Amino acid sequence: MAVVLRFVDKDGFVRERFFGLVHVSNTSTVTLKDGIYSLLSHNNLSIQNIRGQGYDGASNMRGEWNGLQALILKDCPYAYYIHCLAHRLQLALVAVSHEIVPIHHFFTKLSSVVNIVGASCKRNEELKRAQAADIEYMISIDELESGRGLNQIGTLQRPGDTRWSSRFRSVSNLITMFSATCSVLLNIIEDGTNAFQRGDADAAYEAMTSFEFVFILHLMKEIMAITDILCQALQSKSQDILHAMHLVSSTKALIQKFRDYGWITLLNQVKSFCEVRNIDIPEMNAQYVARQGRARRQEDNFTVAEHYRVNLFYAVIDCQLQELSSRFNEHAVQLLILSSALDPRECRESFRIGDVCQLADKFYPADFTDVDKMNLKIQLEHYEYNVVQHPEFKSLSTISDLSQWLVSTRKATIFPLVYRIIVLVLTLPVSTATTERSFSAMRIVKTRLRNKMEDEFLTDSLIMYIEREIAEKLSIESIVNEFRDMKERRIPF
């Protein structure tokens, strides 16, 4: 387990330093917590001084009830957990939906269809010709509008974990080129060079032309269309926390609205899609029977419509809402929204003194006494005239820039309480990228030829490798002198 400390130095710069590597016998939350506490106590650091914690997307870290962040919050109530804003949220949402078996099968079949159709340049050309013919036919029957820039010829997108929004584009493109894709698969079934190609194409065509595949295709497209804007905003290099948090709220509301009122519209849309393409539509009021030998294990009697509404529609949406709520709970969202009141870009529009006071009163009561809270409001009123309206303040774009400027102009000593809350906000780890890079560096330092390296030596080596800018300031002579001044060692005979 790699541990990185985030803090603000004496010059107002935000620093993220690799602190150590903890070897854990298992990944239980108690073991992880004990490992962190042991490392901090070994370096004479108190856990009561933690003011933020952030982890990767692992469930044992971020679990709301039994996760590592929850256990630390019990011991230190002001160690607020903030979801890593650099984490690819849409991939996490898709991964959660994989827990529903039909959705997992759908993405497996989707990848198979895209790989078969896009396996060669010849098939891509066939796809483009088929799509052009399909567009021409749809325009002739007034199903599509014609005009400049409309109905562009495209291609299928391969879903991948390293390509942002690839799954959303993959689903959207397949809906647009559904008929053209079916035509290419039929051509492969008839004219494939070998039995393997024909068999794979036949299996892909059979899966693709099922009502369940089409239903899930449209369902995932609607859900990912709602979450895509938020996912793109969280990936922005220049993070606008206030707007991102408002997007979190609107995304939750839109998904909930889709759950409450979107079922009939989605079902009619899927039925219309299937009718145009001659795909069999099951009788919705008939009793649902599980396929592939699972019918004999089926105990409950429910209709086909109930299966699609409850087991797929509600199940997928509920897992999305639960994932968003666990990553962005109301407490964390309010903390970040109030923190944005200190952002120079927000201050130039409207300096929200009340939000800053509420931030100190509600989230950092251990760092501000009652007298400090009274003085903070007075300092903020002076701060508005002496700092916010300063000509150089207009050139600042982030809270980190503000912190450095306050120290360099010595205004941090004039407004110590304002600077204190700025430092507290800056310690919130809104990105775990440094931690992930530090852990990845272990593969470089501890290679196959050096896999017997002890934990202490590995940690020291990683510190020298990761924090090389600090190591470069150390001279060989100073290291030799320090080693010489250490206690005397036994001289070998």
Side-chain angles (χ1 to χ4, degrees):
M1 178 172 57
V3 180
V4 171
L5 290 189
R6 179 183 173 94
F7 59 93
V8 180
D9 66 10
K10 63 180 182 180
D11 297 322
F13 287 84
V14 179
R15 302 294 187 187
E16 289 185 346
R17 297 298 186 190
F18 175 75
F19 193 63
L21 199 70
V22 181
H23 177 77
V24 291
S25 57
N26 57 72
T27 57
S28 67
T29 53
V30 176
T31 303
L32 296 174
K33 186 192 77 168
D34 292 342
I36 293 177
Y37 284 9
S38 175
L39 180 64
L40 293 177
S41 63
H42 180 73
N43 291 274
N44 298 321
L45 294 176
S46 172
I47 63 168
Q48 297 302 322
N49 291 330
I50 302 176
R51 291 296 178 268
Q53 50 176 326
Y55 310 98
D56 59 9
S59 59
N60 62 335
M61 298 287 194
R62 56 177 173 79
E64 185 176 359
W65 306 108
N66 297 317
L68 176 60
Q69 62 98 4
L71 295 181
I72 293 180
L73 273 173
K74 291 178 182 178
D75 298 334
C76 182
Y78 310 117
Y80 301 115
Y81 166 71
I82 303 297
H83 164 70
C84 174
L85 298 186
H87 187 71
R88 285 177 165 82
L89 179 62
Q90 196 172 88
L91 297 180
L93 294 175
V94 172
V96 169
S97 64
H98 273 266
E99 296 178 3
I100 302 170
V101 175
I103 306 299
H104 176 76
H105 289 332
F106 164 78
F107 279 107
T108 302
K109 296 170 184 175
L110 175 64
S111 298
S112 177
V113 169
V114 175
N115 290 334
I116 291 172
V117 175
S120 65
C121 297
K122 177 183 176 182
R123 293 179 187 176
N124 280 322
E125 290 298 325
E126 289 180 9
L127 180 65
K128 291 179 181 179
R129 289 195 297 269
Q131 186 185 3
D134 185 54
I135 290 174
E136 184 178 355
Y137 171 73
M138 298 296 284
I139 292 175
S140 67
I141 62 174
D142 296 328
E143 288 289 333
L144 288 177
E145 295 181 2
S146 60
R148 184 174 181 180
L150 298 177
N151 307 318
Q152 297 291 317
I153 303 296
T155 185
L156 296 180
Q157 168 76 48
R158 280 189 173 89
D161 292 342
T162 58
R163 292 190 297 277
W164 182 241
S165 292
S166 62
R167 282 177 171 78
F168 176 52
R169 289 195 295 269
S170 182
V171 169
S172 301
N173 290 358
L174 184 57
I175 291 177
T176 303
M177 296 181 285
F178 191 89
S179 298
T181 305
C182 289
S183 298
V184 175
L185 290 175
L186 288 173
N187 291 337
I188 298 173
I189 294 172
E190 295 177 0
D191 304 325
T193 56
N194 56 62
F196 293 103
Q197 290 184 358
R198 294 192 295 270
D200 290 343
D202 184 72
Y205 179 80
E206 182 180 357
M208 191 175 162
T209 53
S210 67
F211 181 83
E212 183 173 293
F213 184 92
V214 175
F215 179 85
I216 297 175
L217 183 68
H218 283 78
L219 173 61
M220 296 308 300
K221 188 254 184 182
E222 293 294 329
I223 293 175
M224 288 191 284
I226 295 174
T227 59
D228 186 61
I229 296 177
L230 170 62
C231 297
Q232 296 288 355
L234 295 180
Q235 282 292 298
S236 176
K237 291 183 179 179
S238 178
Q239 190 59 248
D240 191 334
I241 293 178
L242 180 62
H243 290 167
M245 292 305 102
H246 287 325
L247 280 174
V248 170
S249 301
S250 63
T251 300
K252 290 181 180 178
L254 287 173
I255 293 180
Q256 184 64 48
K257 181 181 178 181
F258 180 57
R259 186 189 191 278
D260 296 337
Y261 307 106
W263 163 249
I264 298 298
T265 303
L266 176 67
L267 184 61
N268 292 334
Q269 182 182 1
V270 174
K271 286 182 177 180
S272 176
F273 186 90
C274 291
E275 288 172 356
V276 173
R277 291 156 182 83
N278 296 320
I279 297 174
D280 293 335
I281 302 174
E283 176 57 47
M284 290 296 162
N285 294 324
Q287 181 180 349
Y288 174 75
V289 179
R291 296 188 303 170
Q292 298 177 353
R294 289 174 292 192
R296 58 178 175 270
R297 298 185 181 180
Q298 183 176 322
E299 298 178 357
D300 299 328
N301 294 324
F302 49 87
T303 64
V304 173
E306 290 173 339
H307 165 69
Y308 282 104
R309 186 176 72 252
V310 177
N311 296 341
L312 291 178
F313 183 76
Y314 287 158
V316 173
I317 294 177
D318 288 344
C319 76
Q320 305 292 300
L321 287 172
Q322 185 177 2
E323 183 71 8
L324 284 171
S325 298
S326 65
R327 291 178 179 271
F328 305 100
N329 57 63
E330 294 182 2
H331 196 70
V333 169
Q334 185 182 10
L335 171 60
L336 291 176
I337 289 177
L338 293 177
S339 299
S340 67
L342 296 166
D343 193 315
R345 294 168 296 183
E346 294 295 325
C347 293
R348 289 194 289 267
E349 298 292 332
S350 175
F351 185 52
R352 309 192 304 271
I353 294 179
D355 285 358
V356 180
C357 293
Q358 185 180 356
L359 180 66
D361 182 54
K362 183 175 182 179
F363 290 94
Y364 297 105
D367 298 285
F368 293 91
T369 63
D370 292 338
V371 176
D372 288 339
K373 294 173 185 176
M374 294 175 57
N375 292 333
L376 175 63
K377 184 179 180 185
I378 298 174
Q379 286 191 18
L380 287 169
E381 292 173 350
H382 285 278
Y383 177 88
E384 183 176 7
Y385 286 96
N386 291 276
V387 175
V388 176
Q389 298 182 13
H390 196 282
E392 295 181 5
F393 186 84
K394 297 180 180 179
S395 62
L396 305 176
S397 58
T398 64
I399 302 180
S400 178
D401 295 337
L402 173 62
S403 172
Q404 299 166 30
W405 182 74
L406 289 175
V407 173
S408 63
T409 57
R410 292 181 301 210
K411 294 184 181 295
T413 58
I414 301 175
F415 306 102
L417 297 177
V418 180
Y419 182 70
R420 184 188 302 174
I421 198 166
I422 289 174
V423 170
L424 289 170
V425 168
L426 285 175
T427 57
L428 293 175
V430 295
S431 174
T432 60
T434 304
T435 310
E436 293 173 358
R437 285 196 299 267
S438 300
F439 196 75
S440 298
M442 185 174 66
R443 299 182 181 180
I444 300 174
V445 176
K446 189 173 183 178
T447 62
R448 182 176 61 85
L449 298 177
R450 305 166 67 186
N451 61 357
K452 293 184 179 180
M453 190 182 298
E454 294 292 337
D455 292 341
E456 184 177 356
F457 183 46
L458 175 60
T459 301
D460 294 341
S461 300
L462 283 172
I463 291 176
M464 296 297 293
Y465 177 79
I466 296 170
E467 304 296 345
R468 60 176 67 91
E469 61 181 42
I470 298 177
E472 290 173 352
K473 299 178 182 179
L474 302 176
S475 64
I476 299 297
E477 183 179 354
S478 64
I479 296 175
V480 171
N481 291 336
E482 183 175 354
F483 187 79
R484 183 189 59 199
D485 295 338
M486 295 174 66
K487 63 180 182 179
E488 296 183 356
R489 284 173 167 75
R490 189 174 54 183
I491 301 176
F493 293 100

Coordinates of all heavy atoms in Angstrom, one line a residue, residues 212-244:
E212 N -33.7 -8.6 -26.0 CA -33.0 -8.3 -24.8 C -31.8 -7.4 -25.1 O -31.5 -6.4 -24.4 CB -32.6 -9.5 -24.0 CG -31.9 -9.2 -22.7 CD -31.7 -10.5 -21.9 OE1 -32.6 -11.0 -21.4 OE2 -30.5 -10.8 -21.7
F213 N -31.0 -7.8 -26.2 CA -29.8 -7.0 -26.6 C -30.2 -5.6 -26.9 O -29.6 -4.6 -26.5 CB -29.1 -7.7 -27.7 CG -27.8 -7.1 -28.1 CD1 -26.6 -7.5 -27.6 CD2 -27.8 -6.0 -29.1 CE1 -25.4 -6.9 -28.0 CE2 -26.6 -5.4 -29.5 CZ -25.4 -5.9 -28.9
V214 N -31.3 -5.5 -27.8 CA -31.7 -4.2 -28.2 C -32.2 -3.3 -27.0 O -31.9 -2.1 -26.9 CB -32.8 -4.3 -29.3 CG1 -33.4 -2.9 -29.6 CG2 -32.3 -5.0 -30.5
F215 N -32.9 -4.0 -26.1 CA -33.4 -3.2 -24.9 C -32.2 -2.7 -24.1 O -32.2 -1.5 -23.7 CB -34.2 -4.2 -24.1 CG -34.8 -3.5 -22.8 CD1 -35.9 -2.8 -22.9 CD2 -34.1 -3.7 -21.6 CE1 -36.4 -2.2 -21.7 CE2 -34.6 -3.1 -20.5 CZ -35.8 -2.3 -20.5
I216 N -31.3 -3.5 -23.8 CA -30.1 -3.1 -23.0 C -29.3 -2.1 -23.7 O -28.8 -1.1 -23.1 CB -29.2 -4.3 -22.6 CG1 -30.0 -5.3 -21.7 CG2 -28.0 -3.9 -21.8 CD1 -29.3 -6.5 -21.3
L217 N -29.2 -2.2 -25.0 CA -28.4 -1.2 -25.9 C -29.0 0.2 -25.7 O -28.3 1.1 -25.5 CB -28.5 -1.7 -27.3 CG -27.7 -0.8 -28.4 CD1 -26.2 -0.9 -28.1 CD2 -28.1 -1.2 -29.8
H218 N -30.3 0.3 -25.8 CA -31.0 1.6 -25.6 C -31.0 2.1 -24.2 O -30.8 3.3 -23.9 CB -32.4 1.5 -26.1 CG -32.6 1.5 -27.6 ND1 -32.3 0.4 -28.4 CD2 -32.9 2.5 -28.5 CE1 -32.5 0.7 -29.6 NE2 -32.9 2.0 -29.7
L219 N -31.1 1.1 -23.2 CA -31.1 1.5 -21.8 C -29.7 2.1 -21.4 O -29.6 3.2 -20.8 CB -31.4 0.3 -21.0 CG -31.2 0.4 -19.4 CD1 -32.2 1.5 -18.9 CD2 -31.4 -0.9 -18.7
M220 N -28.6 1.4 -21.8 CA -27.3 1.9 -21.5 C -27.0 3.2 -22.2 O -26.3 4.1 -21.6 CB -26.2 0.9 -21.8 CG -26.3 -0.4 -21.0 SD -26.4 -0.2 -19.2 CE -24.8 0.7 -18.9
K221 N -27.5 3.4 -23.4 CA -27.3 4.6 -24.1 C -27.9 5.8 -23.4 O -27.3 6.9 -23.2 CB -27.8 4.5 -25.5 CG -27.5 5.7 -26.4 CD -28.7 6.5 -26.7 CE -28.4 7.6 -27.7 NZ -29.5 8.5 -27.9
E222 N -29.2 5.6 -22.9 CA -29.8 6.7 -22.2 C -29.1 7.0 -20.9 O -29.0 8.2 -20.5 CB -31.3 6.2 -21.9 CG -32.2 6.1 -23.1 CD -32.4 7.4 -23.8 OE1 -32.4 8.4 -23.2 OE2 -32.6 7.4 -25.1
I223 N -28.7 6.0 -20.1 CA -28.0 6.3 -18.9 C -26.7 7.0 -19.1 O -26.3 7.9 -18.4 CB -27.9 4.9 -18.1 CG1 -29.2 4.4 -17.6 CG2 -27.0 5.1 -16.9 CD1 -29.2 3.1 -17.0
M224 N -25.9 6.4 -20.0 CA -24.5 7.0 -20.2 C -24.6 8.4 -20.8 O -23.7 9.2 -20.7 CB -23.7 6.1 -21.0 CG -23.3 4.8 -20.3 SD -22.0 3.8 -21.1 CE -23.0 3.1 -22.4
A225 N -25.7 8.7 -21.6 CA -25.9 10.0 -22.1 C -26.1 11.0 -21.0 O -25.6 12.2 -21.0 CB -27.1 10.1 -23.0
I226 N -26.8 10.6 -19.9 CA -27.0 11.5 -18.7 C -25.7 11.7 -18.0 O -25.4 12.9 -17.6 CB -28.1 10.9 -17.8 CG1 -29.4 10.8 -18.5 CG2 -28.2 11.7 -16.5 CD1 -30.5 10.1 -17.7
T227 N -24.9 10.7 -17.8 CA -23.7 10.8 -16.9 C -22.5 11.3 -17.7 O -21.5 11.6 -17.1 CB -23.3 9.4 -16.3 OG1 -23.1 8.5 -17.4 CG2 -24.4 8.9 -15.5
D228 N -22.5 11.3 -19.0 CA -21.3 11.7 -19.8 C -20.9 13.1 -19.6 O -19.6 13.3 -19.5 CB -21.6 11.5 -21.3 CG -20.4 11.7 -22.2 OD1 -19.4 10.9 -22.0 OD2 -20.4 12.6 -23.0
I229 N -21.8 14.1 -19.4 CA -21.4 15.4 -19.2 C -20.6 15.6 -17.9 O -19.6 16.2 -17.8 CB -22.6 16.4 -19.2 CG1 -23.3 16.4 -20.6 CG2 -22.2 17.8 -18.8 CD1 -24.5 17.2 -20.6
L230 N -21.1 14.9 -16.8 CA -20.4 14.9 -15.5 C -19.1 14.3 -15.6 O -18.1 14.8 -15.1 CB -21.3 14.2 -14.5 CG -20.6 13.9 -13.1 CD1 -20.2 15.2 -12.5 CD2 -21.5 13.1 -12.2
C231 N -19.0 13.1 -16.3 CA -17.7 12.4 -16.5 C -16.7 13.3 -17.2 O -15.5 13.3 -16.8 CB -17.9 11.1 -17.2 SG -19.0 10.0 -16.4
Q232 N -17.1 14.0 -18.2 CA -16.2 14.9 -18.9 C -15.7 16.1 -18.1 O -14.6 16.5 -18.1 CB -16.9 15.4 -20.2 CG -17.2 14.4 -21.2 CD -16.0 13.8 -22.0 OE1 -14.9 14.2 -21.8 NE2 -16.3 12.8 -22.8
A233 N -16.6 16.6 -17.3 CA -16.3 17.7 -16.4 C -15.3 17.3 -15.3 O -14.3 18.1 -15.0 CB -17.5 18.3 -15.7
L234 N -15.4 16.1 -14.8 CA -14.5 15.6 -13.8 C -13.1 15.4 -14.4 O -12.1 15.3 -13.6 CB -15.0 14.4 -13.1 CG -16.3 14.5 -12.3 CD1 -16.7 13.2 -11.7 CD2 -16.1 15.6 -11.2
Q235 N -13.0 15.2 -15.7 CA -11.7 14.9 -16.3 C -11.0 16.2 -16.7 O -9.9 16.1 -17.2 CB -11.9 14.0 -17.5 CG -12.1 12.5 -17.2 CD -10.8 11.9 -16.6 OE1 -9.8 11.8 -17.2 NE2 -10.9 11.5 -15.4
S236 N -11.6 17.3 -16.6 CA -11.0 18.6 -17.0 C -9.7 18.9 -16.2 O -9.7 18.7 -15.0 CB -12.0 19.7 -16.8 OG -11.5 21.0 -17.1
K237 N -8.7 19.3 -16.9 CA -7.4 19.6 -16.3 C -7.6 20.8 -15.3 O -7.0 20.9 -14.3 CB -6.4 19.9 -17.3 CG -6.0 18.7 -18.1 CD -4.8 19.0 -19.1 CE -4.4 17.8 -19.9 NZ -3.3 18.1 -20.9
S238 N -8.4 21.8 -15.8 CA -8.6 23.0 -14.9 C -10.0 22.7 -14.2 O -11.0 23.0 -14.8 CB -8.7 24.3 -15.8 OG -9.0 25.4 -15.0
Q239 N -9.9 22.2 -13.0 CA -11.1 21.7 -12.3 C -11.9 22.8 -11.8 O -11.4 23.6 -11.0 CB -10.6 20.7 -11.2 CG -11.8 20.0 -10.6 CD -12.5 19.1 -11.6 OE1 -13.7 19.4 -11.9 NE2 -11.9 18.1 -12.1
D240 N -13.2 22.9 -12.2 CA -14.1 23.8 -11.6 C -15.0 23.1 -10.7 O -16.0 22.4 -11.1 CB -14.9 24.5 -12.8 CG -15.8 25.6 -12.3 OD1 -16.1 25.7 -11.1 OD2 -16.1 26.5 -13.1
I241 N -14.6 23.1 -9.4 CA -15.3 22.2 -8.4 C -16.7 22.6 -8.3 O -17.6 21.7 -8.2 CB -14.5 22.3 -7.1 CG1 -13.1 21.7 -7.2 CG2 -15.3 21.6 -6.0 CD1 -12.3 21.8 -5.9
L242 N -17.0 23.9 -8.2 CA -18.4 24.3 -8.0 C -19.3 23.8 -9.1 O -20.4 23.2 -8.8 CB -18.5 25.9 -8.0 CG -19.9 26.4 -7.7 CD1 -20.4 26.0 -6.4 CD2 -19.9 28.0 -7.8
H243 N -18.9 24.0 -10.4 CA -19.8 23.5 -11.5 C -19.8 22.0 -11.5 O -20.9 21.4 -11.8 CB -19.2 24.0 -12.8 CG -19.4 25.5 -13.0 ND1 -18.8 26.2 -13.9 CD2 -20.2 26.4 -12.3 CE1 -19.2 27.5 -13.8 NE2 -20.0 27.6 -12.8
A244 N -18.7 21.3 -11.2 CA -18.7 19.8 -11.1 C -19.7 19.3 -10.1 O -20.4 18.4 -10.3 CB -17.3 19.3 -10.9

